[in-house]
Amino acid sequence: MIRIKARAPTGRPAVLPTVWGAVAVGYKFGCPLAQQNGLGARIVTSAVFFAVGTGLIFHVRRGLLRELRLARRAARAAQNVVLRPLPPRLDGIDVAAAQLSADRGACVGGDLYEAVATEHGVRVVMGDVRGHGLAALGTVAALLGSFREAAHDEAELGRVLRRLDRALARHLGERARAEHPAQGTPAPDNPVAEDFVTVLLLEIDRDGGVRALNCGHPWPYLLSGTGVAPLTHAEPLPPLGPFPLPAELDVLAGRLPPGESLVLFTDGAEDARDGRGRFFPLSDVLRAAVRDHQVSPQAVLRTVFTALLHHTAGRTTDDVAVLVLRNGRKQVRPPAAARGGEIGGAAARVRRATTRR
């Protein structure tokens, strides 16, 4: 749990209001002008108290702004620890990610993502916690901590998902005990028992093979030279939390050839609406990026978030996270000897055809 400890107030901030109050009281009871009832005396007295009141208001405002800056600084530090920035390249995979919180002025939300290079390949997680803002930060931290360990420890992607499921169950149980110590475990009517997380797990090996497990999350889009399409239309598993995982997990298999990209996102992207209630056309924006040859991860992110903020007039109602993975590895070419053999065989076929003529 992340705690923000407030500093004990010192005597210095209270000095100025005390002085102003003393000036006002001293003027009222010690200045002869304040005892008069004439119009000029009343105007001067009103001006003195107005100046004192204005000074107090500005002093309080300055203190509140200072506390707000400290809170935002702490929120940014928490984000860098929990949702740390991703490196631009992982084992030949170009990476770019960004998040937009629905809470005004907040730096953290209920969306999570992480990508790590392991001996099993580049493993990626993207998820969406029920709710948003600081309330969902604890669940995000629990899941990301579990993923960062399991991604290296587990050889099978399905076992990584089961580790995440157990971590979520432990976290929800601890929350239930902290909020309702008498219950011990989440009761059916406890709000904690209704929490869930959508999770998408990906694994990209050295040959561009992709394996995926999806629990209630939107499938990513595949960006290729021919256009934009969902990675698959298969039905995902239920979200983590309310339902147990099945005994057998069907891992989707696909490919990410060199030069092609996967765009992972949370449902806040496609569910964002404009003032007329129209949903954000994410697939159309990605097609425009492909047509304009803006296929680098950073360019795709800029295109998506620029269009999203324009579509919603800068007011999103849900957290949005986008993660772009591009296979930046070079196309594997056959050895020179093999290419020479193929050329020699083609030449021999040409010679045989010429002889028959």
Side-chain angles (χ1 to χ4, degrees):
M1 180 181 293
I2 298 175
R3 298 181 183 273
I4 301 174
K5 184 177 180 180
R7 295 180 298 177
T10 61
R12 293 184 60 185
V15 172
L16 193 56
T18 303
V19 172
W20 286 337
V23 169
V25 173
Y27 172 80
K28 179 64 178 175
F29 295 101
C31 181
L33 185 61
Q35 309 301 323
Q36 300 178 12
N37 293 325
L39 179 62
R42 292 181 180 180
I43 292 176
V44 173
T45 301
S46 300
V48 170
F49 279 94
F50 177 78
V52 171
T54 303
L56 287 174
I57 291 173
F58 275 103
H59 178 76
V60 172
R61 179 178 180 273
R62 182 182 178 185
L64 292 176
L65 289 176
R66 182 172 58 249
E67 293 298 326
L68 179 60
R69 285 194 296 270
L70 291 174
R72 288 182 174 177
R73 191 180 306 168
R76 285 193 294 268
Q79 182 189 34
N80 290 334
V81 172
V82 177
L83 198 64
R84 60 193 182 189
L86 298 180
R89 192 173 177 86
L90 284 170
D91 195 19
I93 303 296
D94 299 325
V95 182
Q99 185 210 25
L100 183 64
S101 177
D103 285 355
R104 184 177 178 85
C107 298
V108 292
D111 294 343
L112 60 98
Y113 54 79
E114 180 63 291
V116 293
T118 72
E119 60 180 327
H120 316 293
V122 176
R123 286 182 166 175
V124 183
V125 63
M126 173 161 275
D128 188 357
V129 178
R130 177 177 177 264
H132 53 78
L134 293 174
L137 182 59
T139 306
V140 171
L143 288 173
L144 286 181
S146 177
F147 172 78
R148 287 163 182 161
E149 291 292 331
H152 292 278
D153 295 343
E154 303 294 346
E156 298 179 6
L157 198 63
R159 296 183 65 85
V160 177
L161 182 62
R162 296 190 187 280
R163 288 272 292 269
L164 296 182
D165 186 49
R166 292 197 295 270
L168 177 62
R170 284 195 302 269
H171 172 72
L172 295 181
E174 292 170 359
R175 271 186 54 192
R177 287 190 291 271
E179 296 175 5
H180 305 278
Q183 292 182 359
T185 58
D189 57 347
N190 191 327
V192 176
E194 300 176 357
D195 283 354
F196 63 86
V197 182
T198 66
V199 171
L200 173 66
L201 282 179
L202 290 181
E203 179 183 286
I204 307 173
D205 60 26
R206 292 290 303 174
D207 297 328
V210 177
R211 284 168 288 279
L213 281 170
N214 191 345
C215 292
H217 201 83
W219 285 110
Y221 283 108
L222 177 64
L223 276 60
S224 63
T226 58
V228 177
L231 181 63
T232 180
H233 295 282
E235 189 71 21
L237 297 169
L240 296 183
F243 308 101
L245 289 174
E248 297 292 334
L249 295 175
D250 294 330
V251 180
L252 174 76
R255 289 197 60 77
L256 182 65
E260 297 189 359
S261 303
L262 284 174
V263 179
L264 288 68
F265 57 94
T266 55
D267 58 4
E270 289 192 320
D271 292 347
R273 303 193 186 201
D274 61 6
R276 299 164 61 181
R278 295 175 299 183
F279 290 105
F280 177 62
L282 177 59
S283 59
D284 294 340
V285 172
L286 293 176
R287 290 188 184 94
V290 172
R291 285 196 303 268
D292 296 339
H293 304 287
Q294 299 179 4
V295 293
S296 70
Q298 292 78 10
V300 172
L301 275 186
R302 281 195 305 269
T303 301
V304 170
F305 277 97
T306 300
L308 178 65
L309 292 175
H310 181 268
H311 182 79
T312 61
R315 296 185 298 271
T316 57
T317 58
D318 195 6
D319 298 330
V320 178
V322 180
L323 172 62
V324 184
L325 305 168
R326 183 175 184 270
N327 190 345
R329 300 162 182 156
K330 295 182 179 180
Q331 185 73 40
V332 179
R333 301 181 63 186
R339 295 199 303 271
E342 293 172 358
I343 294 172
R349 288 193 294 272
V350 171
R351 286 196 299 268
R352 286 196 296 269
T354 304
T355 302
R356 283 197 295 270
R357 290 196 189 101

